[in-house]
């Protein structure tokens, strides 16, 4: 099969449907004539007058505070050179797209026909009232240096030439971490820089700011080594001229060098040059699309090397998208008048530090990597890591405030981080709160299916993040083999194989026999059943040797839950268990039940499920507002479902008057408080939408959560098993690592609550003390 024509594919991508990659969309309602009169004439006059009275109100009534101009004259587009402003537009649109998807910053791309410094500066200065910030792009050197210098001096909004500073910031972070891994000191390293354009000059200045000594650095351009006797060097390049007489060629300079930084042309470095470098060399071959030396050749030449390139198909990609969206985000959010050196250094350090933290499983999945961690192949974060928006933006905002260029001060940094995360469109605040709560008092969680990669990876995550202490059930040799194959490290984690008979397993079997001997279970069968890890794990929880059980990844729901019901049982006063899902939506969390256990509950059984749900939702520090769902609204239809849900509400109002619950009602009325108030103002749910939905049967609940997950883009956390005496949670078949981690976190919270309710522990006979 022939490979697709990549050139034609790229052309089709840009031309298909609406040409280009970006569009303008309204942020306010425009459905009625009234909306239009507010948006334009005559309503628009009011914000105009307010801004005329106080120009700072432009940030309150317009998009200026979230609007960046991406501006180019097309004189240095990628590696294509001076191809003109029109030809640069696809790149500028692409830059706008990245601003939006990574940091929720709106962009107008402006391609201007201005070649001289004065023309360019005058045009951009005139645009200052429109924009909150200016991102300069693809402008040839040395013009770009003077343009940026003048605009920064003459404008009161943030200005940054990303070709210079973006690469400098990302590679600066990479250099800090690479030196740490290789055991080198920044102020001692000998560095060779090949290339003397805008990016190379800015990168080198950044390295000097981080501690590299100028006397330990040499720079080359297309005409050779930069020396004081060269007459073709401008002032910007002359500052990096070297007095050394022992160097004439790049090969000379590479001998015993610690670091090579390439921002030049492809394939100008040979394996022999790398061999001549010092021990544990660092090579940043950042020319695009072909690096100065290929990643494969570099590693073939030196096994002790750390390499970074500008390519996404190799580790350690120096990609400006790690920086510019978040730098501007932080600058805009404090209305900074500039992007200064303090803010850039703050971004460098935030990016470098982030690479040392445990990597979210979502990032591993995005890149098809099983266990990404700080080391030679991971010295800077990956672009898909959503933590960048909080780590980098907050660091930049703080630096702007501390350095005196911020016109707005942030005092509640937790709230600011929540605001930043909400910009990504998947507000996971409740999960973060639950995770933080779990970390305060981690519990022992037994994993019944520990001989699978997903379970072991999830176990490592919850262990590394301090959420839980894993206990692994399964064949120890197989478990350790999987850990070795996938470079997992769970330290001295406890591993138990139930197939190996021990005194403890015989005690568990005797307990099961005593409990089930009048249910047809013999002692022989009890011993055989105890080989099943779900039975063994349930006994561990029952006897207090673990705090929670997680299972179900490879077995169906009924098979998994049966041992727990037989051994642990339900809470006192609970007649049946129920299943709940936490749905993380853009509008906030919503709890669904029953979604997994009760097929066609009666009215009284729906009451029992609702009581369990209310108590469980409250554990998330959320006041439950419960809607009992039907296909009817308050008696509008007759039938089995309306009648039983109506009866459910009657019983709940009578027996639980403090509970905020109403129905029967259709789902849209439960979730739309305005719609409910307009049509049924008597409802006890009027004012705020329901956050807890009780479905009339398993079919409707299960279908609803899966539709919302697949079509609505919600994240489903569950099923959360309700009503068990001790925490047991059953995974869905084929759950992802992220879903497993979420369930373990829920299990820890469940264990914390149950431990707080009772400190009594079962004795070895199974009787409570």
């Amino acid at each position: 099969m022939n490979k697709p024509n990549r050139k034609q594919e790229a052309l089709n991508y840009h031309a298909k449907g609406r040409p280009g990659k970006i569009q303008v969309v309204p942020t306010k309602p425009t459905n009625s004539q009234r909306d239009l009169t507010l948006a334009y004439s005559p309503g628009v006059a009011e914000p105009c007058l307010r801004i005329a009275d106080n120009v700072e109100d432009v940030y309150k009534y317009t998009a200026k505070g979230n609007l960046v101009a991406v501006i180019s004259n097309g004189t240095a587009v990628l590696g294509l050179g001076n191809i003109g402003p029109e030809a640069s537009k696809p790149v500028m649109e692409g830059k706008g797209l990245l601003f939006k998807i990574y940091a929720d910053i709106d962009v107008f791309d402006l391609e201007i026909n201005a070649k001289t410094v004065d023309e360019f500066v005058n045009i951009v200065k005139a645009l200052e009232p429109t924009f909150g910030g200016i991102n300069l792009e693809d402008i040839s050197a040395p013009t770009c240096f003077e343009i940026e210098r003048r605009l920064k001096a003459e404008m009161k909004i943030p200005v940054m030439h990303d070709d210079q500073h973006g690469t400098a910031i990302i590679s600066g972070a990479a250099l800090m971490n690479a030196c740490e891994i290789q055991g080198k000191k920044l102020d001692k390293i000998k560095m060779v820089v090949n290339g003397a354009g805008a990016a190379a000059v800015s990168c080198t200045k950044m390295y000097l700011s981080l501690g590299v000594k100028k006397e330990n650095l040499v720079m080359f351009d297309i005409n050779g080594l930069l020396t004081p006797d060269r007459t073709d060097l401008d002032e910007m390049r002359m500052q990096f001229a070297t007095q050394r007489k022992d160097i004439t060629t790049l090969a000379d300079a590479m001998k015993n060098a610690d670091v090579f930084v390439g921002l030049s042309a492809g394939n100008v470095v040979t394996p022999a040059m790398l061999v001549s470098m010092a021990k544990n060399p660092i090579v940043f071959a950042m020319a695009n699309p072909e690096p100065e030396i290929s990643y494969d050749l570099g590693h073939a030449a030196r096994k002790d090397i750390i390499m970074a390139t500008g390519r996404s198909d190799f580790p350690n990609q120096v990609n400006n998208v790690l920086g510019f969206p978040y730098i501007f985000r932080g600058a805009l959010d404090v209305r900074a008048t500039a992007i200064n050196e303090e803010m850039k250094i703050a971004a460098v350090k935030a990016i470098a530090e982030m690479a040392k933290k445990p990597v979210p499983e979502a990032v591993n999945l995005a890149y098809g990597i099983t266990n990404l961690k700080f080391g030679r192949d991971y010295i800077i974060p990956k672009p898909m890591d959503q933590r960048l928006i909080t780590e980098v933006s907050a660091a930049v905002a703080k630096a702007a405030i501390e350095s005196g260029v911020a016109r707005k001060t942030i005092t509640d940094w937790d709230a600011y981080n929540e605001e930043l995360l909400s910009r990504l469109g998947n507000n996971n605040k409740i999960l973060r709160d639950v995770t933080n709560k779990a970390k305060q008092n981690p519990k022992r969680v037994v994993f019944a299916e520990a001989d699978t990669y997903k379970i072991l990876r999830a176990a490592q995550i919850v262990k590394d993040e301090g959420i839980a202490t894993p206990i692994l059930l399964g064949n120890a040799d197989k478990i350790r083999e999987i850990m070795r194959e996938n470079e997992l490290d769970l330290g001295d984690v406890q591993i138990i194989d139930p197939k190996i008979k021990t005194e403890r397993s015989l005690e568990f079997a005797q307990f099961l026999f005593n409990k089930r001997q009048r249910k047809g279970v013999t002692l022989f069968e009890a011993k055989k059943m105890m080989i099943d890890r779900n039975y063994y794990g349930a006994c561990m929880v029952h006897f207090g040797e673990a705090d929670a059980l997680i299972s179900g990844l490879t077995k169906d729901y009924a098979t998994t839950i049966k041992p727990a019901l037989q051994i642990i049982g339900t809470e006192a006063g609970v007649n049946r268990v129920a299943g709940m899902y936490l749905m993380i939506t853009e509008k906030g969390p919503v709890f669904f039940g029953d979604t997994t256990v009760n097929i066609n509950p009666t009215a009284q059984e729906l009451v029992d499920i609702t009581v369990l749900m209310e108590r469980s939702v409250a554990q998330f520090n959320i006041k439950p507002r419960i809607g009992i769902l039907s296909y009817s609204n308050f008696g509008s239809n007759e039938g089995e479902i309306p009648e039983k849900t109506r009866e459910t509400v009657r019983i709940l109002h009578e027996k639980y008057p403090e509970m905020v619950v109403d129905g029967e009602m259709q789902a849209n009325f439960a979730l739309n408080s305005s719609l409910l108030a307009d049509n049924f103002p008597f409802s006890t749910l009027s004012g705020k939408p329901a956050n807890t939905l009780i479905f009339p049967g398993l079919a409707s609940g299960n279908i609803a959560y899966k539709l919302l997950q697949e079509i609505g883009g919600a994240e489903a956390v569950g099923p959360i098993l309700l009503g068990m005496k001790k925490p047991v949670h059953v995974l869905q078949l084929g759950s992802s690592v992220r879903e497993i981690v979420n369930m373990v976190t829920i299990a820890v919270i469940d264990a914390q609550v149950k431990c707080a309710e009772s400190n009594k522990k079962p004795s070895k006979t199974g009787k409570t003390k």
Side-chain angles (χ1 to χ4, degrees), residues 438-591:
K439 289 179 178 180
Q440 292 172 11
N441 186 15
K443 298 295 182 181
R444 301 162 298 168
V445 177
V446 58
F447 293 84
E449 299 156 301
D451 52 1
T452 61
Y453 163 72
K454 287 183 179 179
I455 290 292
L456 290 174
R457 175 59 178 149
Q460 181 178 40
I461 291 171
V462 298
K463 181 177 182 293
D464 289 346
E465 295 190 4
I467 294 170
T469 300
I471 301 171
L472 308 179
L473 297 189
N475 182 281
D477 291 338
K478 185 176 180 181
I479 290 170
R480 291 192 177 98
E481 181 183 355
I482 295 171
M483 288 195 289
R484 281 195 301 271
E485 289 175 350
N486 294 279
E487 296 184 349
L488 300 174
D489 182 11
L490 281 100
D492 57 351
V493 65
Q494 185 179 7
I495 303 176
I496 300 172
D497 187 350
K499 289 184 178 180
I500 300 175
K501 289 185 179 180
T502 63
E503 181 181 344
R504 197 65 179 125
S505 63
L506 293 175
E507 291 173 352
F508 287 169
Q510 184 66 51
F511 162 73
L512 180 60
F513 169 66
N514 293 341
K515 193 168 187 178
R516 304 292 296 178
Q517 60 187 343
R518 293 184 181 274
K519 303 284 187 180
V521 176
T522 67
L523 181 58
F524 173 79
E525 289 171 331
K527 292 177 181 177
K528 187 176 179 181
M529 291 163 72
M530 206 48 60
I531 294 174
D532 185 311
R533 285 175 275 175
N534 287 307
Y535 277 97
Y536 193 97
C539 279
M540 289 187 70
V541 174
H542 177 76
F543 282 90
E545 295 174 11
D547 300 304
L549 171 65
I550 292 290
S551 187
L553 181 70
T554 60
K555 292 186 177 182
D556 65 79
Y557 200 92
T559 303
T560 306
I561 199 173
K562 182 180 176 181
L565 287 171
Q566 290 180 354
I567 292 171
I568 296 174
T570 59
E571 293 180 63
V574 172
N575 299 317
R576 64 181 53 249
V577 295
M580 176 178 78
Y581 266 93
L582 162 59
M583 306 301 295
I584 308 294
T585 76
E586 290 187 1
K587 294 184 178 181
V590 184
F591 298 86

Side-chain angles (χ1 to χ4, degrees), residues 94-293:
K95 197 68 177 279
L97 182 147
L98 296 176
F99 265 111
K100 186 63 179 178
I101 64 175
Y102 285 113
D104 190 32
I105 293 174
D106 298 311
V107 164
F108 290 157
D109 62 289
L110 302 175
E111 297 74 33
I112 61 177
N113 191 10
K115 298 294 192 297
T116 69
V117 171
D118 284 341
E119 285 180 305
F120 200 109
V121 169
N122 289 338
I123 291 171
V124 176
K125 278 180 59 180
L127 297 170
E128 184 168 357
T130 300
F131 296 101
I134 304 292
N135 182 97
L136 303 175
E137 196 79 17
D138 290 354
I139 307 166
S140 63
T143 307
C144 62
F145 299 121
E146 181 63 12
I147 286 173
E148 186 192 42
R149 186 194 66 77
R150 282 187 51 182
L151 288 175
K152 289 178 70 172
E154 299 174 30
M155 298 181 77
K156 296 300 181 184
I157 58 175
V159 177
M160 188 172 85
H161 184 205
D162 187 52
D163 296 328
Q164 294 182 57
H165 306 296
T167 305
I169 288 164
I170 311 310
S171 66
L175 180 65
M176 289 178 65
N177 283 344
C179 285
E180 179 178 329
I181 294 167
Q182 298 289 58
K184 297 177 184 289
K185 300 291 186 182
L186 285 166
D187 61 348
K188 302 295 184 184
I189 58 174
K190 295 178 181 179
M191 177 180 286
V192 178
V193 180
N194 197 53
V201 168
S202 186
C203 284
T204 307
K205 292 174 71 175
M206 174 59 73
Y207 305 152
L208 296 178
S209 297
L210 295 174
V212 176
K213 299 296 184 183
K214 185 180 288 189
E215 58 267 26
N216 293 336
L217 181 148
V218 293
M219 182 181 286
F220 290 80
D221 67 5
I222 195 170
N223 296 315
L225 182 67
L226 272 58
T227 59
D229 56 347
R230 281 182 51 175
T231 59
D232 60 334
L233 299 182
D234 56 33
E235 182 180 350
M236 189 64 69
R237 292 174 177 82
M238 184 59 76
Q239 64 180 313
F240 300 112
T242 181
Q243 299 281 358
R244 290 179 62 178
K245 304 298 183 184
D246 58 327
I247 296 174
T248 55
T249 66
L250 183 60
D252 294 335
M254 295 285 277
K255 292 175 183 176
N256 296 316
D258 295 290
V259 180
F260 170 80
V261 176
L263 290 150
S264 52
N267 303 311
V268 297
V269 173
T270 66
M273 292 180 186
L274 297 192
V275 171
S276 73
M277 293 181 72
K279 183 181 178 181
N280 295 329
I282 298 166
V283 174
F284 293 172
M286 296 183 286
N288 265 321
E290 291 296 326
E292 284 79 2
I293 184 169

